[in-house]
Amino acid sequence: MSNKVINILVPIISIILGLLVGAIVMLFSGFDPMSGYAALWNGIFGDVYAIGETIRQISPYILAGLAVAFAYRTGLFNIGVEGQLIVGWFAAAYVGMAFELPMFIHLPLSLLAAAAAGALWGLIPGVLKATLRVHEVIVTIMMNYIALHVVNALIKTVSDGGFKTDKIQPTASLRSDFLSNLTDYSTLHYGIFVALAMVVVMWFILEKTKTGFELKSVGFNDHASQYAGMNVNKNIILSMVISGAFAGLAGSMEALGTFGNMSSRAGFTGIGFDGIAVALLGANSPLGVIFGASLFGSLKYGANNMPNEAGIPLEIVSIVIALIIFFVASGYIIRVGLQRLNSKKEAK
């Protein structure tokens, strides 16, 4: 059994184990697992409306997963995706509502504003890591809370003391009448194509450019990279900036597509934190992130149908999702088990 096969099997086994243990939890809680998972399936694929909403839910998860995966591939752990997403959401919503421009200028400008805001929020921990060697995990966790409260204050400022921004101009919207009509008037928008385009961008940067090679090299061994003449500090900062830009774009999916504005928040969206699990499930590869995001987006949206159709509370659904994350995080144990099993077969 090759390493490539093991890499494919690990996330699959993690998902299966998560679903099996989740079924046991439902059973011991007095609910029928078959009915629960049937309701989950119907919530995802039950009709074209559900499919449209599921794809819409997947879009920000792809971008959040790319943000985590990009940083991880370059030797950094960006837990600040949530905060970068929030500032990107606000930037896109503000540019989308504040200006009146032709669509071919306004929509790209709003997307760029989101990416720039996320990049700026990633720049700060990047600079601190590069210059003072402050661990990025500590800084990005704190930056999440700063982003939440700063954005809430900015929303009050631009809305004259209100709790939400005005709706964006139609010229800045990702909404699509064609996609909406195709999926029985769901909120599916063109953001899914932006997300898929960013998958290609990440792959191209990491695999086809000199910059990508340097970023990965610094992530593997910064001392060897410095000895080879690479600017380690510049690459650390650049990695966090690009990661933050992906996260900011994830926020733009909500601002320009799903909601069309931004409201004050009492807590986090959770999308940025789920992006960590998406990246882990996708083995931090651009293509893998698509599959990881598809799973989490589907579970998040399909779960809403479980209380209605099967009477299973959302808390149980959250437990099932948490179990999948647990087994994904325990992938190393599964990998060791598969390798030992493979060694025994080869010995025979």
Side-chain angles (χ1 to χ4, degrees):
M1 191 185 300
S2 66
N3 283 332
K4 189 173 286 188
V5 174
I6 291 174
N7 288 339
I8 294 170
L9 285 176
V10 167
I12 293 173
I13 293 171
S14 299
I15 295 166
I16 292 170
L17 286 173
L19 292 173
L20 285 174
V21 179
I24 294 169
V25 170
M26 280 190 270
L27 200 59
F28 277 94
S29 302
F31 300 103
D32 180 10
M34 296 299 291
S35 299
Y37 285 136
L40 178 65
W41 177 269
N42 291 335
I44 301 167
F45 302 110
D47 51 38
V48 290
Y49 177 84
I51 293 170
E53 290 294 333
T54 300
I55 295 172
R56 186 266 307 161
Q57 184 80 48
I58 289 168
S59 304
Y61 278 103
I62 291 176
L63 290 159
L66 290 177
V68 176
F70 189 91
Y72 193 86
R73 289 283 296 275
T74 55
L76 298 168
F77 196 9
N78 183 7
I79 300 186
V81 171
E82 182 70 27
Q84 293 150 16
L85 180 150
I86 289 171
V87 296
W89 186 341
F90 175 78
Y94 179 76
V95 172
M97 75 165 188
F99 301 101
E100 293 185 12
L101 298 165
M103 178 174 269
F104 74 92
I105 296 174
H106 202 180
L107 179 54
L109 183 64
S110 300
L111 291 169
L112 285 172
L120 176 63
W121 222 249
L123 173 68
I124 298 168
V127 169
L128 290 173
K129 171 77 171 183
T131 57
L132 301 174
R133 291 297 180 261
V134 181
H135 204 289
E136 72 276 5
V137 170
I138 297 170
V139 180
T140 51
I141 288 173
M142 293 190 291
M143 293 291 288
N144 286 334
Y145 290 93
I146 295 170
L148 177 65
H149 296 296
V150 166
V151 166
N152 281 344
L154 288 171
I155 290 171
K156 279 189 177 182
T157 301
V158 301
S159 61
D160 296 324
F163 295 99
K164 62 181 179 180
T165 65
D166 293 335
K167 285 288 185 179
I168 61 170
Q169 303 288 342
T171 51
S173 178
L174 285 167
R175 286 291 184 93
S176 164
D177 290 336
F178 170 73
L179 292 177
S180 180
N181 293 334
L182 193 66
T183 53
D184 197 17
Y185 304 104
S186 75
T187 55
L188 179 61
H189 52 76
Y190 288 125
I192 186 64
F193 300 111
V194 175
L196 292 174
M198 291 304 104
V199 171
V200 177
V201 168
M202 176 177 162
W203 169 82
F204 183 79
I205 291 172
L206 289 179
E207 304 300 335
K208 299 296 179 181
T209 67
K210 175 191 170 187
T211 300
F213 176 80
E214 287 192 6
L215 288 168
K216 289 188 292 183
S217 178
V218 170
F220 282 127
N221 192 318
D222 56 345
H223 298 296
S225 300
Q226 189 169 20
Y227 182 77
M230 298 177 192
N231 189 328
V232 172
N233 289 345
K234 183 198 80 171
N235 281 294
I236 289 172
I237 295 169
L238 183 60
S239 174
M240 287 301 295
V241 166
I242 295 173
S243 176
F246 284 133
L249 283 172
S252 73
M253 299 296 100
E254 307 296 76
L256 307 179
T258 306
F259 297 103
N261 67 348
M262 187 176 191
S263 302
S264 294
R265 302 193 61 86
F268 296 120
T269 67
I271 296 171
F273 296 120
D274 286 341
I276 299 169
V278 167
L280 283 172
L281 192 61
N284 296 299
S285 69
L287 185 61
V289 164
I290 295 176
F291 293 109
S294 298
L295 173 70
F296 273 81
S298 300
L299 286 173
K300 285 288 183 179
Y301 183 76
N304 296 324
N305 191 50
M306 292 176 76
N308 301 328
E309 191 173 315
I312 298 174
L314 282 173
E315 290 78 7
I316 300 294
V317 179
S318 298
I319 290 171
V320 174
I321 294 172
L323 284 166
I324 292 173
I325 296 171
F326 172 79
F327 283 109
V328 169
S330 306
Y332 177 75
I333 299 171
I334 298 169
R335 183 182 300 277
V336 169
L338 288 172
Q339 287 172 343
R340 287 185 177 179
L341 184 65
N342 187 42
S343 299
K344 287 180 180 178
K345 284 184 178 180
E346 288 177 353
K348 290 179 181 179

